[in-house]
Structures are given as C-alpha cells and as structure tokens.
C-alpha cells in the first residue's frame, strides 16, 4: 500500500545551524511533492512544491530536493531561527502521477530550534 | 498565498447534537475544497472532496450520512457533523484548491470540535 514516512522523532538543533528533514515514500510515482509547515492548533501553510523533473528547489532559506530513484525528498532550512520551530509535513497527491489535489500527508517532523 | 477562513474556530457540543463548520475561500474561487481531520499527535487524514455544485466524494471509512458536506458556491463549503459522539472530537481543517492555477492548497486555521 502507499506510504509516506517522516522521522517522527523531534529534531532539536541550535540556532544558526541547518535543519534537514527527510520524507520517504513507497508505492507512489508522484508528479510532485509538497512541504507544509504546521504550528500547534493551526492549519498547515504551504511552503514549497517540487516536481518530479526538478532535482532541487529553493525559496529564501528553504531548499527541497527530490530523488525519484530513492523515493525521497529532503527539506533543508539554513541559518535556522527559533521562529522556524514547528511541525513540517510532506505531502503527495494520493493518486500518484495524476493531479487530483487529494493530498496524503506524512506524520510530520517537529523541529525545535534553540537560541 | 490565498486566505481561507473557518468558522467557528472552536466548538463544544453535547453528544447527539449536530455541528456545522464553515470554510470560506476569501480571495480566490476554489473549484475544489477538501476536508481533513487531525487527531492529536497524528497527521491530517483526508475525509472528503467537495466540488461546487456536485455531491461530495468521501474517502473509504468516512460515513457520508454522518459528515454532510455542502459546497454552495466557489467560495463556501460547509461540513456538518450529525449526531456527534465523543469519538468525533477532533481538529477539522478545510483546504481550498484550484488545480488550474497551481497545485498547492490553502488551508483554513482549523476548527477544534469537542463532543461531551
């Protein structure tokens, strides 16, 4: 069955360091993968979308890579700040390569950036 | 990004009553809205897809008679939890989506439902 896995253990890092979060998937051939940020008691906020033909995408301090051979995406936050502390979710379209908008989410990784 | 609102943000109801949650896309016309549910320490689970002017489609295991969805316009979808039970207590989140513009989704702030 289709599965998306993120490291469920919280990631604690020091301010200024680079945070790297991992998203692995099985039994999918996604056309794109998305990353969202979720703060406690709030809905997710869209961060980045990367397509299957893109190896890397950047937005300010954020960088996402997408390896369709390894079936893995890495999400990096450089020069991390305490305000980056949140849960980060990766998501795929549940219908794989087609675009239905029906997202399947990983369980999320909670990032804690310490000053 | 687009703005999506939800109302109410928090509701407490008694077992057996019904609760309506509104989801509004404030600055773009969403061809599709999705409803998700999130239990504590868990990820979002898709419940149903709501398309304007047509019946909602539900994910496996979600009772359509219990979770009534109405998508009256391109900017408004409502979820009614009927005959609520304590196990329906959860965080309900909607999202607005326009696959013709982009693939990202814009989520509402969520509604915390507590059934006593």
């Amino acid at each position: 069955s289709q599965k998306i896995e993120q490291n469920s253990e919280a990631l604690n890092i020091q301010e200024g360091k680079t945070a790297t979060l991992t998203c692995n998937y099985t039994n999918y051939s996604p056309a794109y993968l998305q990353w969202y940020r979720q703060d406690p008691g709030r809905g997710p906020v869209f961060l980045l979308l990367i397509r299957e033909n893109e190896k890397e995408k950047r937005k300010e301090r954020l960088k996402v890579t997408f390896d369709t051979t390894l079936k893995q995406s890495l999400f990096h936050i450089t020069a991390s700040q305490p305000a980056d502390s949140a849960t980060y979710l990766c998501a795929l379209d549940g219908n794989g390569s087609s675009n239905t908008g029906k997202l399947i989410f990983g369980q999320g990784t909670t990032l804690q950036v310490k000053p | 990004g687009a703005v999506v609102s939800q109302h109410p943000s928090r509701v407490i109801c008694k077992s057996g009553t019904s609760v309506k949650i509104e989801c509004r896309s404030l600055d773009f016309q969403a061809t599709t809205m999705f409803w998700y549910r999130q239990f504590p320490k868990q990820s979002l689970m898709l419940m149903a897809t709501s398309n304007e002017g047509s019946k909602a489609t539900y994910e496996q295991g979600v009772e359509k008679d219990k979770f009534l969805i109405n998508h009256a316009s391109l900017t408004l979808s409502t979820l009614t939890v009927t005959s609520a039970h304590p196990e329906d207590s959860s965080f309900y989140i909607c999202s607005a989506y326009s696959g013709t513009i982009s693939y990202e989704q814009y989520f509402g702030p969520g509604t915390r439902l507590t059934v006593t």
Side-chain angles (χ1 to χ4, degrees):
Chain A
S1 61
Q2 296 172 324
K3 213 171 179 182
I4 304 175
E5 288 188 341
Q6 295 182 252
N7 191 345
S8 58
E9 289 183 18
L11 178 62
N12 295 299
I13 63 168
Q14 206 64 36
E15 182 176 8
K17 300 292 186 185
T18 295
T20 298
L21 287 68
T22 305
C23 176
N24 295 295
Y25 59 92
T26 54
N27 297 322
Y28 276 109
S29 295
Y32 59 89
L33 182 147
Q34 302 184 40
W35 283 89
Y36 289 81
R37 169 184 172 141
Q38 186 175 27
D39 290 283
R42 306 291 294 173
V45 174
F46 172 78
L47 295 176
L48 280 168
L49 179 151
I50 185 165
R51 298 175 190 274
E52 60 178 339
N53 60 350
E54 297 175 312
K55 295 293 183 190
E56 181 180 298
K57 200 144 187 193
R58 292 176 185 259
K59 180 182 173 183
E60 297 172 353
R61 295 185 294 110
L62 309 180
K63 184 179 87 171
V64 171
T65 62
F66 194 12
D67 188 325
T68 55
T69 302
L70 290 178
K71 295 187 182 293
Q72 181 181 79
S73 174
L74 299 179
F75 177 80
H76 307 271
I77 305 175
T78 57
S80 59
Q81 304 166 0
D84 296 326
S85 300
T87 296
Y88 292 87
L89 305 164
C90 70
L92 296 172
D93 193 299
N95 276 21
S97 57
S98 62
N99 170 32
T100 65
K102 295 169 69 171
L103 294 180
I104 307 297
F105 283 87
Q107 71 268 43
T109 298
T110 298
L111 172 67
Q112 188 73 37
V113 181
K114 297 181 179 178
Chain B
V3 177
V4 176
S5 70
Q6 272 184 250
H7 178 79
S9 58
R10 191 177 289 268
V11 58
I12 300 173
C13 72
K14 292 188 176 177
S15 231
T17 61
S18 295
V19 174
K20 181 187 280 188
I21 302 170
E22 286 188 353
C23 175
R24 290 183 185 273
S25 172
L26 298 181
D27 55 359
F28 87 103
Q29 294 184 327
T31 54
T32 302
M33 288 184 173
F34 297 98
W35 286 95
Y36 294 83
R37 183 166 53 181
Q38 187 174 33
F39 291 107
K41 306 280 187 198
Q42 294 186 26
S43 193
L44 284 78
M45 295 296 293
L46 179 64
M47 295 175 66
T49 303
S50 171
N51 292 300
E52 186 264 341
S54 63
K55 286 186 179 178
T57 57
Y58 292 80
E59 295 302 300
Q60 195 172 11
V62 178
E63 298 175 55
K64 61 179 172 63
D65 293 329
K66 180 168 185 61
F67 299 100
L68 301 179
I69 291 173
N70 184 278
H71 196 150
S73 73
L74 285 172
T75 59
L76 174 63
S77 176
T78 60
L79 168 69
T80 301
V81 182
T82 63
S83 188
H85 287 276
E87 56 263 33
D88 298 325
S89 299
S90 188
F91 192 50
Y92 292 87
I93 311 172
C94 69
S95 71
Y97 174 73
S98 175
T100 56
I101 298 175
S102 64
Y103 294 158
E104 62 251 38
Q105 291 188 24
Y106 300 99
F107 285 84
T111 296
R112 172 74 58 193
L113 170 64
T114 303
V115 184
T116 60

